Amino acid sequence: AAVRVSTPTSAVAADLRRIAATVAITGGAATLAAVIIAAVIAGAVARPLNRLREASRALASGALDQNVAAGGGAEVADLAASFNEMSSRLRETIDTLAEERSRLGALLNSSVDGLVALDAHGVIRYLNPAAAAVLGEAGGRPFAEAARNHELAALLQQALGASRTAAGTIHLPTRDTWLLARFSPVQGGGGWAMLVILHDITDIRRAESARRDFVANVSHELRTPLAGIKAVVETLRDGALADPEASVEFLGRVDAEVDRLVQLVEELLQLARIESGTALRVTDIAPREVLAGCVDRFSHMAERSGVALTLNAPANLPRIQADPAQLAQAVSNLVHNALKFTGEGGEVVVTAARDGEELTISVRDSGSGIDPAELPRIFERFYVVDRARSTRGTGLGLAIVKHIARAHGGSVEAISTLGRGSTFTIRLPVPATAATSR
């Protein structure tokens, strides 16, 4: 027997179409779901990575305050934490370096010595303000060109050629400045190959010159009376001692020369004490009393010279803090000079007045006056104008006046017209709570 089962092909085709449609729909749905899930996962990972990338770019451009929020999984969170730690440490390191650089810059800029850094070709790569005051704004220029001094250029070539320190004392005529220049090679300085130190020794040189002048002036002033005394002694020893009249005359000359020596020594000692500050005994004084005492002291000298000596000082002058003896010495020196250079019929006026926070004491005369060319130097030690040499002064009187005024925190100045007289003015500070003299 036989059993025959059959299905129409159209039905099979329809079933296959239904199966294919079901598979297609299921596959599309699965693909769409996979794409959506992949996009979500990728976005969750990419967003923190993008933040890290943007933060890295900002950090590279100099914005050091970068922090990235953790997210996107453990791995991304670890990466963000590492980035934040790196950013923090980098910020701390740069802040430390900036602070050290600022300190170093402040030290270099505040140095009174000129500091210049050169490269291997002698070009200036750095200079502090003290060096700029000597060389000008010379950054990026060759040192030899900026210095314009062959001695400095020779020292630089010596240091570069021998790779060792070279030093020397240099005079800059255009600035009347003396420099102690030192060129030292720099090891491990990057672009800096040479450090130049310019130490200003102008004040030291001037002090040495002043000391030499002082010794020379003292020697000159001592030599003249000593030579006179020696000449008189030799004359007396050669027979003049037997002549009573000549002996008396020569002894008088010796006495005058000894008096001059004593005056010179006393004034030198007084000047030294004033400069050291040990000569002042400051107290509260009435300046008019001091001035009246000085005028009274020289009244007889003025009368003998035929000069009118007057005091013009109000009774209500403020009291000041001063050494009465030293102030009297300063005014006496000025009055004595005024009388010495004022002829018969002239006048000398001592004036005192308050000028704001200062007390001015002026001594004006109608004498011969001072040449304008000599006026700036009259307060120097041993400086004597030509017309004064016949008076045989020591040249220390006005120097003493200047140092007494400075020791009291004041100053002295002179105004003079040749042939019409001079005015010397001492200015002293008046205390804020100064009482009025009675």
Side-chain angles (χ1 to χ4, degrees):
V3 178
R4 179 178 178 272
V5 180
S6 63
T7 300
T9 56
S10 59
V12 173
D15 290 339
L16 290 175
R17 286 194 296 271
R18 284 196 298 272
I19 293 171
T22 302
V23 171
I25 293 172
T26 303
T31 301
L32 179 62
V35 170
I36 293 173
I37 293 173
V40 172
I41 294 175
V45 174
R47 278 194 297 273
L49 290 179
N50 287 334
R51 289 197 296 268
L52 279 172
R53 182 181 60 189
E54 293 173 359
S56 299
R57 290 177 178 175
L59 187 66
S61 65
L64 303 179
D65 54 343
Q66 300 298 316
N67 282 300
V68 178
E75 293 81 3
V76 177
D78 290 342
L79 181 60
S82 299
F83 177 86
N84 292 337
E85 183 179 0
M86 178 192 68
S87 175
S88 176
R89 291 186 178 181
L90 182 61
R91 184 166 56 250
E92 292 176 358
T93 301
I94 292 180
D95 289 343
T96 302
L97 292 175
E99 184 178 359
E100 292 179 355
R101 181 184 178 89
S102 177
R103 290 176 180 174
L104 180 59
L107 289 175
L108 295 177
N109 292 335
S110 62
S111 174
V112 296
D113 292 336
L115 302 175
V116 185
L118 310 178
D119 62 15
H121 302 289
V123 177
I124 297 175
R125 297 306 179 191
Y126 169 82
L127 73 167
N128 68 346
V134 177
L135 304 176
E137 295 299 332
R141 296 169 55 192
F143 180 81
E145 176 186 331
R148 296 182 179 180
N149 184 278
H150 69 280
E151 294 177 295
L152 284 173
L155 284 174
L156 173 60
Q157 293 303 320
Q158 178 183 346
L160 287 175
S163 296
R164 59 183 178 85
T165 300
T169 301
I170 309 298
H171 181 232
L172 302 180
T174 56
R175 301 173 54 88
D176 192 21
T177 302
W178 286 90
L179 298 175
L180 179 60
R182 187 179 185 89
F183 293 77
S184 302
V186 177
Q187 301 296 332
W192 292 8
M194 185 72 61
L195 177 64
V196 184
I197 302 176
L198 303 175
H199 179 57
D200 192 340
I201 58 173
T202 304
D203 292 339
I204 298 176
R205 284 280 182 161
R206 288 175 180 171
E208 291 177 352
S209 177
R211 178 181 58 82
R212 288 193 299 267
D213 292 343
F214 179 78
V215 172
N217 288 328
V218 170
S219 301
H220 174 75
E221 294 295 333
L222 290 175
R223 183 174 56 209
T224 302
L226 289 175
I229 293 173
K230 182 175 178 59
V232 170
V233 171
E234 290 178 350
T235 303
L236 291 174
R237 186 179 57 192
D238 291 340
L241 190 60
D243 186 347
E245 294 183 1
S247 299
V248 172
E249 180 183 354
F250 285 131
L251 289 175
R253 293 182 184 179
V254 171
D255 185 59
E257 297 295 350
V258 170
D259 286 343
R260 186 182 180 193
L261 285 174
V262 171
Q263 179 186 1
L264 176 62
V265 173
E266 288 181 348
E267 289 183 348
L268 285 173
L269 290 175
Q270 183 182 13
L271 195 57
R273 287 194 296 266
I274 294 171
E275 289 180 334
S276 65
T278 60
L280 293 183
R281 294 178 174 84
V282 177
T283 185
D284 184 69
I285 65 170
R288 192 179 190 285
E289 297 178 3
V290 176
L291 300 180
C294 294
V295 171
D296 290 341
R297 176 184 174 188
F298 288 96
S299 59
H300 296 294
M301 178 179 176
E303 186 177 350
R304 289 195 305 269
S305 303
V307 177
L309 175 61
T310 57
L311 172 64
N312 182 13
N316 62 344
L317 286 175
R319 300 180 70 88
I320 61 174
Q321 297 292 318
D323 183 328
Q326 295 296 330
L327 181 58
Q329 177 70 54
V331 177
S332 296
N333 287 359
L334 295 179
V335 174
H336 183 263
N337 279 353
L339 292 174
K340 189 164 54 175
F341 297 112
T342 302
E344 184 176 359
E347 65 172 352
V348 174
V349 181
V350 180
T351 304
R354 181 166 186 167
D355 183 11
E357 300 302 320
E358 293 181 326
L359 175 71
T360 61
I361 301 174
S362 300
V363 178
R364 177 179 58 83
D365 64 71
S366 58
S368 56
I370 303 172
D371 192 322
E374 295 178 310
L375 197 60
R377 299 191 59 191
I378 59 176
F379 292 103
E380 297 178 8
R381 295 183 182 93
F382 298 107
Y383 187 80
V384 183
V385 296
D386 291 338
R387 291 180 305 280
R389 298 198 183 278
S390 60
T391 64
R392 301 181 65 81
T394 63
L396 293 174
L398 292 180
I400 290 175
V401 173
K402 179 185 71 173
H403 284 83
I404 289 176
R406 288 183 176 179
H408 285 85
S411 62
V412 62
E413 61 185 16
I415 301 174
S416 183
T417 303
L418 194 60
R420 299 181 61 182
S422 307
T423 300
F424 289 81
T425 302
I426 298 175
R427 298 182 179 274
L428 301 175
V430 175
T433 57
T436 302
S437 302
R438 295 183 180 275

